[in-house]
Amino acid sequence: MRTIEKTNNYTNNCAAIMSIIEKTNNSVNKVFKFGGASVNSVERIKSLAAILHSYRSEKILIVISAMGKTTNALEKVAEAFYGGHREEALRLFQQVKDIHLTTAKYLLVKNYLAAEAHLKDLFTEVEWLLHDKPVRDYDYYYDQVVSIGELLSTSIISAYLAESGIDNQWIDVRDIFRTDNNFRDAAIDWTYSLAKVQNEVLPLFHETNFIITQGFIGSTSENESTTLGREGSDYTAAVFANMLDAEGQTIWKDVEGVMNADPKQFPDARFLAELGYDEVIEMAYYGAQVIHPKTIKPLQNKGIPLYVKCFLDPSLPGTVIHDKIVKGLPPIIILKEKQVLVHLHSKDFSFVGEKGVAGLYELFAEIRIRPNLLQSGAVTLQVCLDDRSEKIEKLALAAADLFEVQIERGLTLLTIRHYDEGVLGNLTKGKQAVLRQQTQETVQTLMR
């Protein structure tokens, strides 16, 4: 089912890599990433094709996410399966199958049968698992099920582009990006993956200008699918841009560019024409959804600019993100709902101190969870986290050996970069502050 076979001996190929680089003469112009919103309907997939048609003379690697709400639907499949509800999982997966087959029927004529066969091969990867019983951790099954979304969308879109006269090559990114087995937040093996990019991806640009692949996913050395973290397609594209020495990366979204707040939460959000790498890293760190937190580093390492453009109106300039300092930015607002506050109290009233904090961070690493806010007192620690039930439960059980533990749910975390008291007052009006931390640039308030 995979299009590129695995080969051996990737560590001693410097000469081969340099030879390929010389032959291609830095032939990759750009890396594009299209998110789920840009491919969530037949009309939008056709718009994607129109955008690519205008770039047909350039060599572009194109990373595409799962269509629309597919990832959410597949998460429900994984949850039902892991909960022991096999028939429910199969029923939910059938809905995912039907949606993709229907989309293919609306888009394709002469390429439909070949696309249908490919889709059915991909369906089988999940179905064989759903007929089994779970014997491993939930995160493993999450990755095996949810990773199929990107493979389905790219298979259909590649076939449609070909039928529309836009030549392209579809590849399975799991054959390129090797990762560790930290399921749901896997780390890429850069040495192995770079060799695969240089040996197997770059030569394809001799045959076509467009290569279509998936974001968000990879594969272990045992051919087990992994994911790179929620919304990880941005990161996938950045890794490719770095490894291909692309002149730029473009993320196509359904907004004008980067805004100072989520326009779904704040209708008066303001457009930002340019940002520095550092600012975007800070925004991502605090939870802004516009760009995946790990995206910037691979670009910054090689000075590759990132563009955020609107696929609804490609003529708009969009936002450019680069290595320059941008001054005079408005308040940047990040609102994270469904937050949990874990209250930890020393059992014997001894000082928490460095030992307590160090022990807590060891638990974070072991459970693979990241605090959004942490506040320490003499005998207490308070930790704000995203409400991922299975992770919170593991943390509470493990921390109970060291602390008295209480959990408070249903909170909201407000972060404002470049804040002023007027904006802060308006956004916290009528709310009760549970925790507050601030620096000269940033204020964070956890509210109930």
Side-chain angles (χ1 to χ4, degrees), residues 11-82:
T11 56
N12 298 317
N13 60 356
C14 292
I17 289 175
M18 292 308 298
S19 174
I20 292 170
I21 292 174
E22 290 171 3
K23 288 178 182 178
T24 54
N25 193 28
N26 195 24
S27 58
V28 182
N29 298 118
K30 297 178 175 68
V31 172
F32 281 178
K33 181 262 180 174
F34 290 91
S38 61
V39 293
N40 67 359
S41 67
V42 168
E43 291 73 23
R44 288 193 169 182
I45 292 173
K46 289 180 178 179
S47 295
L48 180 154
I51 290 171
L52 293 182
H53 186 73
S54 66
Y55 288 92
R56 61 190 179 277
S57 63
E58 300 187 55
K59 294 187 179 295
I60 304 174
L61 184 133
I62 302 151
V63 173
I64 301 175
S65 299
M67 293 192 298
K69 301 297 183 182
T70 300
T71 299
N72 292 338
L74 289 169
E75 287 177 340
K76 292 179 180 178
V77 173
E79 289 167 5
F81 167 75
Y82 197 74

Side-chain angles (χ1 to χ4, degrees), residues 384-422:
C384 173
L385 305 148
D386 294 335
D387 193 354
R388 291 175 62 180
S389 297
E390 75 282 0
K391 299 286 189 183
I392 300 297
E393 183 178 346
K394 285 182 180 180
L395 177 64
L397 288 172
D401 293 336
L402 303 170
F403 305 96
E404 298 289 347
V405 181
Q406 289 184 317
I407 296 175
E408 183 177 0
R409 283 188 158 87
L411 303 175
T412 299
L413 179 61
L414 170 68
T415 303
I416 309 177
R417 296 268 301 158
H418 318 295
Y419 67 94
D420 62 56
E421 292 298 331

Side-chain angles (χ1 to χ4, degrees), residues 108-161:
L108 303 171
V109 179
K110 63 183 180 181
N111 287 350
Y112 176 74
L113 291 178
E116 180 189 41
H118 191 202
L119 290 174
K120 288 181 176 179
D121 283 343
L122 295 169
F123 295 153
T124 301
E125 288 192 37
V126 174
E127 288 174 324
W128 73 263
L129 180 147
L130 297 181
H131 283 92
D132 206 345
K133 291 183 178 180
V135 293
R136 298 176 65 169
D137 289 343
Y138 172 74
D139 287 355
Y140 167 79
Y141 294 105
Y142 177 99
D143 279 8
Q144 308 319 301
V145 173
V146 172
S147 61
I148 210 73
E150 275 68 14
L151 294 157
L152 298 176
S153 65
T154 53
S155 177
I156 293 170
I157 292 166
S158 174
Y160 174 69
L161 293 175

